[in-house]
Amino acid sequence: MEHTTILDLGGKWRVHSKDGKYRFEGQVPGSVFFDLEKKGAFGPKGLFWREANRAAPAVADRVFIYERTFKIPAGFPAGSFVRQTLECEGLDTLAEVRVNGTLVGKADNMHRSWAFPVDGLLKAGENRIQIAFDNTLAFIAKGKKRRDLFDGGGGVETMKGFNHIRKNSCSYGWDWGPQVPDVGIWRPIRLTARAHARLDSVRVQQVHRKGAVSLSISPELTAWSEIPLTFSAVLTAPDGKKTGIHGEIEPNTAAGPFRMEIRNPELWWPHGLGAQPLYRLECEVRTHGGDLLGSRALDLGLRTVAVDRSPDRHGEAFTFVVNGVPIFARGGDYIPEDVFLNRPDRAATESLLKQAVAANYNCVRVWGGGVYPVDDFYDLCDRMGLLVWQDLMFACALYPMDDPRFRASIAAEVRDNLVRIRHHACLGLVCGNNEMEWAFEEWNMKGAGKRERREYLEQYQALFPAIAGEACPDVHYWPASPSSGGDFEAPNDANKGDVHFWKVWHGRAPFEEYTKHHFRFLSEFGFESFPSIKTIEAFTEPGDRNVFSPVMEDHQRCAGGNGTILYYVSQHLRYPKDFASLVYASQVIQAEAMRTGIEHMRRNRGRCMGSVYWQFNDNWPVASWASIDYHGRWKALHYLARRIYDNVLVSSVVDGKTAEIHLSNEGREGVAGELRWSLVSLAGRTLRKGRKALAAGALSSKAALRLDFTRELADGMEREAALVYGFYGKKGAVCHGSAFFTRSKFLSLEDPGLRVKVSEAKGRVRIDVKARSFARFVWLDLKKADVVFSDNYFDLAAGETRTVWVEQNPSALAASRIRSELTCISLFDSFES
């Protein structure tokens, strides 16, 4: 017999604004803005069309009310040992909740769940629930007036006072996102009737020793009767083998821990280092009579994760260590996937994270200015081997720690979310905030004095680590990003902790600035570009397609961003001949900036152990630092990331007319092969070439060869030549690259006469690209449809043919369709010759 009854209150609700301006049928879970978007309230082409988003704050500037009726089914449990509860997983944000006219509770934090007792309020037949959402714009303005705390870290587009409310911070605008401060019942809502006890969560801790893992399993319950209970758990291994335990839970005592031993465990590894086997743990709490009171099912990856901060001759290490293996973290910073938080479903999140894996990520950082992702996100990261750096949702601002209600709210928020996600194999680190320790030291924050420093330490170095230590003691807590460990001690020091580096881009420093620093772990660095031309065409009229038009400026939220793109284009490339060429050029310089930084970090493996760039994804169509745009289209950077985040990388350092070639290997096994290189003229003549047997041990990087081309590059020949190189194994090229001795704008490029052949082979579409003379930055695309290629954004030497496969083909396009839509350009095609 089941002693828990659940009535789902999702579905259709009536929604109206208190002022009468809006009235519609809404979907729960959902939101006001997502419902209005689906109903065409922002125009036939939606909120992202041209400047339609600018209407959003005015829509939000009012009270909205959700209401519906529901019927209590016959037999809905009641009585002295039953608790009836309204459980809300997410209310955004300032909510008053009434059941049959009675106020049952208030909410002030969208990041946490809420449980409101409704005993004695429900009746047979029809019942009514109403949730009124207060005006958050008025609330933050009032908070700002009460205490003017620093809130300027999100950029000029961020609404003032956003730090006074526990809401999706970037919904108030950021330097890549619009102001769309949504409202509504954004996660599931239900009525429950539970007898005797509620199983709140299950704590699982792992102890690893040679050849075995011991699980310590502790059910966490809230009980309101004194009957004895039983706990059982069944663990199903990846091979289907089951192990079970059973035990007693005495009244008014802590339950467990119950222990389970796993012999010869299958270990979970980050992507690129091994497999991701998951064990299924199914837990139940019952009465002695066998009545089920609660159950939980958890997928567990057996692994150890630690952060090594050992002192060394450079300062202090900052290294993820998984199963005893020090790993080089490779990934990007993840932001909310959409302005409309309810639009992405599990399939959309899975598709996005698959693109991270396709680009050889083994890590993602969940940035602290958005929301804590849904359970599906962590489940998918478990399955894909993506180690998660989890920021708590505090970013670029100071918070009102003098308000006891605020303090209690954020304490509940942090515990709520850590308990929810703590069992996931992917969870590698919990970080207190984004950039606030650094801000105290280097941002010249107005009004940040001794009081604010004291409150900062109380929040991030006392309250949060205490909660984390209780909720998830096996997960490393880090006070801030960037940080050297706390206490305002050189928080952005390259020699210890993690670093955010923005001299390139915001400081307009040359790309080579990256190579002057030896970061221990770079958790933010980036460079902007425009999204795909197809993405731009989806939000613009033809007359808008000028980077300084009002619409293009609107879809650029970084102050001066479009001008900064043009500045860097001028430093590296010739002036683009038209708008589409400028879009292409922006992606070229974005990729080349990141190449300079990431290859440098890979070459310095051991000292540097993390490259997590800003940013992975977008939440609307915009010029930004993302490597994948809002519509899921890969920019040049994402194709580049696939190559330079691969386990095996061959890279080069050019100094004048010399070049040094390096081989890096992030695999757990060594690699051996042959390095082949050629100095060639752009017209196709070989000036010098060579080969060398080469091997690299597991988890290593080494300088393989130094070459001096002073003689070959005399008399201005540096404008006419390229160094091409590759590392070859038994089955052909493992990786390849090219290097130049002057900037791309000075190269004497000629029309490469690119020839493209499209065919079908073994049910796949094959594309062969051949160049007559050297082709720099070859870019393949389709005019209308979207696919992902096995390779893109590459160089071709004269006479070389590159075979590219259509790797992701969601519309199952035939070769004939791809042939008719395919475009193939290189740098030469982007400027007037």
Side-chain angles (χ1 to χ4, degrees):
M1 178 179 178
E2 175 85 48
H3 271 224
T4 299
T5 301
I6 298 174
L7 178 62
D8 184 7
L9 295 180
K12 301 297 183 183
W13 286 57
R14 297 182 304 279
V15 184
H16 69 275
S17 59
K18 189 176 180 180
D19 62 6
K21 183 175 177 65
Y22 296 95
R23 187 174 298 273
F24 55 90
E25 183 179 73
Q27 181 69 32
V28 170
S31 73
V32 165
F33 278 89
F34 191 29
D35 281 325
L36 291 176
E37 172 80 352
K38 290 183 287 187
K39 297 176 188 303
F42 302 110
K45 294 188 177 181
L47 188 70
F48 300 157
W49 174 249
R50 305 193 79 215
E51 298 175 84
N53 70 91
R54 293 294 182 180
V59 175
D61 196 15
R62 52 183 40 85
V63 174
F64 282 94
I65 298 168
Y66 278 66
E67 53 191 356
R68 64 163 289 176
T69 58
F70 59 92
K71 290 185 177 180
I72 293 295
F76 195 75
S80 58
F81 293 113
V82 172
R83 288 189 177 176
Q84 297 174 336
T85 307
L86 177 66
E87 297 179 357
C88 310
E89 291 188 22
L91 299 175
D92 182 11
T93 291
L94 304 172
E96 288 190 350
V97 184
R98 289 177 167 79
V99 174
N100 291 328
T102 298
L103 179 67
V104 299
K106 296 182 179 181
D108 62 0
N109 188 329
M110 78 172 289
H111 298 301
R112 57 165 294 196
S113 59
W114 299 88
F116 304 118
V118 293
D119 302 287
L121 296 178
L122 304 179
K123 58 187 180 182
E126 189 169 84
N127 292 260
R128 182 169 177 264
I129 182 172
Q130 181 192 82
I131 303 180
F133 290 95
D134 206 353
N135 183 337
T136 71
L137 273 63
F139 182 88
I140 65 174
K142 183 178 179 181
K144 179 77 170 175
K145 186 175 181 181
R146 183 189 76 83
R147 188 176 178 193
D148 187 5
L149 290 165
F150 175 79
D151 55 7
V156 296
E157 288 289 339
T158 306
M159 292 184 183
K160 300 304 179 184
F162 77 88
N163 45 337
H164 288 271
I165 192 170
R166 294 310 298 146
K167 183 175 168 60
N168 177 13
S169 295
C170 65
S171 70
Y172 291 108
W174 219 259
D175 59 4
W176 38 259
Q179 297 175 353
V180 187
D182 214 339
V183 58
I185 306 170
W186 76 292
R187 282 183 172 169
I189 181 170
R190 67 185 75 85
L191 278 168
T192 64
R194 304 179 190 274
H196 304 296
R198 179 180 68 244
L199 178 58
D200 298 313
S201 62
V202 177
R203 179 194 297 266
V204 182
Q205 293 180 270
Q206 304 178 20
V207 177
H208 288 242
R209 64 181 191 277
K210 188 175 182 179
V213 174
S214 176
L215 298 183
S216 173
I217 306 168
S218 301
E220 297 179 338
L221 301 97
T222 301
W224 48 89
S225 73
E226 296 192 2
I227 66 168
L229 305 173
T230 65
F231 175 76
S232 63
V234 175
L235 185 76
T236 304
D239 63 3
K241 182 180 178 182
K242 296 182 183 294
T243 305
I245 57 171
H246 184 86
E248 301 287 326
I249 302 175
E250 296 299 326
N252 302 316
T253 61
F258 301 93
R259 304 197 184 279
M260 186 179 291
E261 189 86 357
I262 304 164
R263 299 284 182 181
N264 301 314
E266 296 183 48
L267 296 183
W268 181 95
W269 291 94
H271 173 64
L273 290 169
Q276 295 80 43
L278 295 176
Y279 290 71
R280 181 78 165 175
L281 181 67
E282 296 172 293
C283 304
E284 293 183 345
V285 173
R286 294 180 180 268
T287 65
H288 273 201
D291 296 333
L292 180 65
L293 301 186
S295 63
R296 286 285 189 278
L298 308 176
D299 289 321
L300 307 176
L302 305 182
R303 89 291 182 266
T304 62
V305 179
V307 176
D308 177 18
R309 295 180 56 207
S310 302
D312 59 24
R313 64 189 179 90
H314 303 297
E316 186 178 282
F318 195 90
T319 304
F320 283 111
V321 180
V322 181
N323 300 325
V325 175
I327 74 164
F328 189 106
R330 293 161 277 162
D333 292 290
Y334 168 92
I335 66 170
E337 295 173 33
D338 204 302
V339 161
F340 306 111
L341 296 175
N342 294 97
R343 176 142 60 190
D345 56 11
R346 181 183 173 95
T349 299
E350 181 174 18
S351 177
L352 179 64
L353 292 176
K354 280 182 176 178
Q355 309 317 310
V357 173
N360 291 308
Y361 283 30
N362 61 18
C363 175
V364 289
R365 172 178 171 242
V366 178
W367 170 73
V371 297
Y372 301 91
V374 297
D375 293 340
D376 284 339
F377 172 87
Y378 300 98
D379 177 61
L380 291 164
C381 287
D382 284 346
R383 296 175 187 281
M384 296 182 189
L386 293 171
L387 199 64
V388 173
W389 172 309
Q390 177 66 59
D391 278 6
L392 302 179
M393 291 301 117
F394 302 87
C396 300
L398 300 177
Y399 294 88
M401 287 292 286
D402 62 323
D403 182 345
R405 291 173 298 178
F406 185 90
R407 180 189 171 102
S409 181
I410 62 174
E413 164 196 328
V414 170
R415 188 179 195 284
D416 227 22
N417 284 283
L418 294 185
V419 167
R420 176 172 66 92
I421 68 177
R422 64 187 174 187
H423 69 280
H424 285 281
C426 64
L427 184 60
L429 177 148
V430 170
C431 176
N433 72 83
N434 177 74
E435 296 191 337
M436 287 318 300
E437 186 184 5
W438 180 32
F440 272 101
E441 298 305 297
E442 297 189 27
W443 286 11
N444 298 316
M445 290 190 296
K446 181 182 177 182
K450 291 181 179 179
R451 176 190 182 188
E452 287 73 25
R453 284 178 179 261
R454 183 176 65 253
E455 289 176 341
Y456 174 92
L457 294 173
E458 182 183 353
Q459 182 175 356
Y460 301 111
Q461 293 186 217
L463 178 62
F464 290 172
I467 295 170
E470 184 279 324
C472 51
D474 301 324
V475 181
H476 189 88
Y477 176 83
W478 189 240
S481 180
S483 180
S484 294
D487 296 325
F488 307 111
E489 180 188 341
N492 208 29
D493 185 352
N495 293 312
K496 59 191 299 190
D498 72 310
V499 169
H500 292 191
F501 188 78
W502 286 106
K503 288 183 178 180
V504 178
W505 180 258
H506 286 302
R508 291 197 174 187
F511 301 165
E512 294 76 19
E513 183 69 23
Y514 288 119
T515 66
K516 298 177 182 178
H517 305 270
H518 294 85
F519 312 103
R520 307 315 299 259
F521 194 112
L522 202 51
S523 53
E524 258 196 43
F525 65 111
F527 199 96
E528 274 200 358
S529 72
F530 296 113
S532 163
I533 189 67
K534 290 180 284 189
T535 296
I536 293 171
E537 289 169 350
F539 67 77
T540 59
E541 297 279 11
D544 300 325
R545 293 166 200 161
N546 179 303
V547 295
F548 297 121
S549 73
V551 172
M552 289 299 294
E553 289 276 11
D554 185 60
H555 288 253
Q556 163 62 274
R557 294 305 169 98
C558 175
N562 289 353
T564 301
I565 290 173
L566 286 178
Y567 166 77
Y568 277 105
V569 166
S570 76
Q571 297 299 300
H572 291 269
L573 307 176
R574 298 188 189 184
Y575 193 78
K577 65 183 182 184
D578 53 28
F579 180 76
S581 297
L582 176 55
V583 171
Y584 161 81
S586 77
Q587 294 197 16
V588 165
I589 59 167
Q590 179 190 38
E592 290 309 293
M594 294 292 93
R595 181 204 300 275
T596 305
I598 294 171
E599 289 187 344
H600 169 67
M601 287 180 270
R602 290 286 305 268
R603 287 191 291 269
N604 286 277
R605 191 213 198 272
R607 186 170 180 178
C608 178
M609 291 300 287
S611 162
V612 180
Y613 63 74
W614 186 267
Q615 66 206 65
F616 171 39
N617 61 304
D618 279 329
N619 73 341
W620 78 308
V622 63
S624 82
W625 298 269
S627 62
I628 291 183
D629 76 18
Y630 172 75
H631 290 291
R633 295 171 175 133
W634 287 32
K635 296 183 182 179
L637 171 56
H638 210 70
Y639 282 105
L640 174 70
R642 162 180 275 181
R643 293 198 292 271
I644 61 179
Y645 275 169
D646 201 356
N647 273 357
V648 182
L649 169 70
V650 62
S651 66
S652 61
V653 182
V654 170
D655 182 8
K657 296 180 181 181
T658 64
E660 189 172 80
I661 300 176
H662 289 242
L663 182 63
S664 304
N665 176 29
E666 285 304 317
R668 290 166 56 208
E669 297 181 357
V671 294
E674 185 177 69
L675 174 66
R676 303 174 191 172
W677 60 269
S678 297
L679 183 70
V680 297
S681 73
L682 301 183
R685 186 165 56 93
T686 299
L687 305 176
R688 186 175 156 195
K689 65 179 181 179
R691 56 180 60 196
K692 178 182 179 180
L694 192 58
L699 310 169
S700 71
S701 187
K702 62 188 288 188
L705 186 65
R706 184 173 179 82
L707 299 165
D708 188 338
F709 298 119
T710 302
R711 180 172 57 84
E712 290 85 359
L713 298 179
D715 301 322
M717 192 61 189
E718 64 270 13
R719 297 185 180 184
E720 308 280 346
L723 175 64
V724 294
Y725 48 84
F727 180 66
Y728 291 78
K730 293 180 179 179
K731 296 182 180 180
V734 176
C735 51
H736 51 80
S738 53
F740 298 84
F741 302 88
T742 189
R743 292 193 173 187
S744 293
K745 68 178 181 178
F746 297 132
L747 291 174
S748 300
L749 294 172
E750 297 180 358
D751 184 352
L754 293 172
R755 296 172 57 190
V756 179
K757 179 182 178 182
V758 179
S759 59
E760 288 195 23
K762 298 181 180 180
R764 301 170 65 197
V765 178
R766 170 176 170 161
I767 302 169
D768 292 298
V769 185
K770 185 174 183 179
R772 182 178 63 231
S773 63
F774 200 98
R776 188 85 164 111
F777 306 135
V778 174
W779 181 250
L780 302 171
D781 202 358
L782 301 185
K783 295 173 184 176
K784 295 181 179 179
D786 292 303
V787 298
V788 172
F789 301 101
S790 62
D791 198 5
N792 206 353
Y793 182 69
F794 51 81
D795 291 340
L796 276 182
E800 181 185 357
T801 298
R802 180 73 53 87
T803 297
V804 175
W805 298 89
V806 175
E807 191 171 83
Q808 296 180 36
N809 190 355
S811 300
L813 303 177
S816 58
R817 170 73 181 279
I818 289 175
R819 187 182 298 112
S820 68
E821 284 203 32
L822 185 67
T823 62
C824 179
I825 63 172
S826 71
L827 184 61
F828 177 85
D829 302 296
S830 71
F831 57 83
E832 297 288 354
S833 57

